[in-house]
Structure formats: C-alpha cells, structure tokens
Amino acid sequence: MLDTSREQEDSISPLVNQNLGPFRAACFQGNHWSLAKLKSAGDEHLNPQFALQVGKALQNIGVRRAFGPSPVEFNGAYIDPWLLDQEIVLPGPVYLYRNKEKPADATLIPQPRDAGIFSAGGCGVLVVTLGSLMVFAHCGRESVLDRMWIESYGKSSARKHRSVVDSIAHELGLLGHEEALERVHAWPLFFIKPKNFDHPFDHPQHGAYNQAAAGMIRSAYGCACARTHSSGVRIDLPKIVRAQFMQYGVPAENIHMEHCYLADELPTTRKGGGRYLVAVVRN
C-alpha cells in the first residue's frame, strides 16, 4: 500500500506544469508512479490507494479522460484511442483507458480535458498538432531509433516505421502534403539530458550498439544529435526528433524546443530509477 502521509499528498501537485497553448504538460515528482498497477478494467479495485493517487493527480490538472498506451515495447507504433478499450475508473471520477494487449507509443488526444499519460524514467514525450488533431507519444530511445536499423548500419529494419515520428507522420498524412506540413507544430518535451545519456563504446553488453549509434545518428540526423568524445557518445533525443520532422518538411520554427529536457529533480534509469508520471492535457 502506498504511503498516504502529508509528503505523499503533496506529490499530487506536479513538479513541472507547463501551459503551452493547445495543451498543458505536467510531470508528477516521485519514483512510485508505475502504471503497471493499472492495466485492465478492475485493477483500480486491486490497487485502490494507487488508483486514488493517480486520480487525484489527474483531477488536479483538469483531466476528465486519460488515454494510456502501453509503451513497454518501445515499438514506435500508433494506436487509435478507441482501441484502448479497458476502462479503469479512478476517483474523481477520471476515466483511464488502456490496452496491454496492443503495445504502442502514440495515440490521439481527442477532446478538451482528455489527456495522454505514461509513467517514465527519463523517456521524453512528444506532442504534435495539425489543425484540430493532437497526437501524444512516449519517446524512449528505441521509440525514436529502430534498434535493428542501428545495429545493421541501415541495412534492415525491425518494423514498418523507423521512428514514432514516422508513425505520426503516416497517421496525419504528411508525406508530400506541403500545405499540411506548414501547419504542423511539434513539442518534444522532458527528454533525458545528453550529459546524463552517455553511451560508452567499451560497454561489455552494449558497446557495439553504441559505436553503431554514434555513426548512424550523426550520418542520418547531424552531429548535434550525437556528441562523440574519447570514450563514447552522448545521444540528444529531442534533436533527433526535430531532425526527423524537418526531414519531412516541417518548418524549424514549428518545432518548439523550449522545454525539451527533463528537470533534474525527476528520476531516470541512469540515476537510480523509479517512475514519475507524465500527463499531457488538451486545453
């Protein structure tokens, strides 16, 4: 059972709370927010204290419905919100929709007071708008970079779309539509900072991948996206996302980088772990 002390109650107010016009983006501090406890209808009864905590947090930022894709595979995939068919009723009430059987990183945020949510350990979030459409995405490293594409030096791919950016572009019908591209706006938000995302070349398990990533990222997206040093490479995921959108033809000024890095107070897998809660609420 979760601690319900005054300190825990205070954590319901977000540490990060940015109102960015079309939406509000928030991060709730702490390391106990794993949504694995709320996967299916009825889980709110099995984990009532956690359901109360999530419900209070989301209600605090005006959420009526929350859509929580299951990003466990980092597969870069998009899922339609109506396929998130497990309804979990949180106190408020706030209605949370999930589907553990169809892992995905991205979904649509259909209406005002709807939100996209996930629990994170340093993974970024991406919000994309085109007119009245708003897409939300979890952006871990493998969500943005197809691991097989990296390891094979571009010779093969493990999935239809190399990046969640490609999945979103496909869903929005961006390819070859110049007029639409000029109306796209993208916000990469809350990514782990490159200084905390070092990939050593001599890593006993991942050294080969890290070396391949250094070359592939710099070749495909530019040197600013992967800063090499004598013993490794520091990967800059929000700059990769920006480069991917610009390759489609989205104007640079439509990609908003002001809040692209994570607050130091939030945990990451690179500094002890734990999961905080991320929510993007449509205004």
Side-chain angles (χ1 to χ4, degrees), residues 33-45 47-48 50-59 61 63-71 79-100 107-110 113-119 136 277-281:
W33 290 97
S34 174
L35 291 177
K37 302 169 191 171
L38 298 172
K39 291 181 179 179
S40 303
D43 282 355
E44 67 270 36
H45 304 301
N47 301 282
F50 185 66
L52 176 65
Q53 189 80 0
V54 176
K56 282 187 174 182
L58 296 179
Q59 188 180 27
I61 56 173
V63 177
R64 179 188 59 188
R65 299 189 301 176
F67 298 90
S70 178
I79 187 170
D80 287 319
W82 52 86
L83 293 176
L84 301 173
D85 57 8
Q86 292 294 300
E87 184 179 77
I88 301 165
V89 183
L90 306 176
V94 175
Y95 298 90
L96 171 60
Y97 297 94
R98 307 206 70 200
N99 188 340
K100 65 180 181 179
T107 194
L108 197 70
I109 303 180
R113 296 190 64 194
D114 289 348
I117 71 169
F118 63 90
S119 51
F136 153 92
L277 182 67
V278 177
V280 169
V281 191

Side-chain angles (χ1 to χ4, degrees), residues 100-211:
K100 65 180 181 179
E101 304 302 327
K102 294 184 181 294
D105 282 316
T107 194
L108 197 70
I109 303 180
Q111 298 176 2
R113 296 190 64 194
D114 289 348
I117 71 169
F118 63 90
S119 51
C123 292
V125 58
L126 174 63
V127 183
V128 184
T129 63
L130 173 59
S132 64
L133 299 174
M134 180 178 293
V135 178
F136 153 92
H138 161 271
C139 280
R141 184 186 61 196
E142 265 70 54
S143 309
V144 173
L145 296 166
D146 178 0
R147 190 176 188 89
M148 183 179 290
W149 177 78
I150 294 286
E151 292 178 333
S152 69
Y153 288 86
K155 295 177 182 176
S156 59
S157 181
R159 58 202 192 200
K160 180 179 179 181
H161 297 299
R162 186 188 303 168
S163 168
V164 69
V165 170
D166 300 314
S167 295
I168 293 170
H170 175 79
E171 290 300 322
L172 295 180
L174 298 185
L175 191 60
H177 289 78
E178 184 174 347
E179 186 273 335
L181 288 165
E182 292 177 353
R183 294 189 295 119
V184 170
H185 286 263
W187 289 262
L189 300 166
F190 314 146
F191 285 79
I192 187 170
K193 294 175 181 175
K195 69 178 183 179
N196 299 323
F197 207 41
D198 198 24
H199 292 64
F201 294 145
D202 62 354
H203 191 283
Q205 289 180 280
H206 305 299
Y209 172 88
N210 296 344
Q211 292 182 47

Side-chain angles (χ1 to χ4, degrees), residues 3-13 52-53 56:
D3 179 12
T4 56
S5 66
R6 177 64 183 171
E7 180 181 357
Q8 193 74 350
E9 288 292 317
D10 289 344
S11 73
I12 296 176
S13 295
L52 176 65
Q53 189 80 0
K56 282 187 174 182

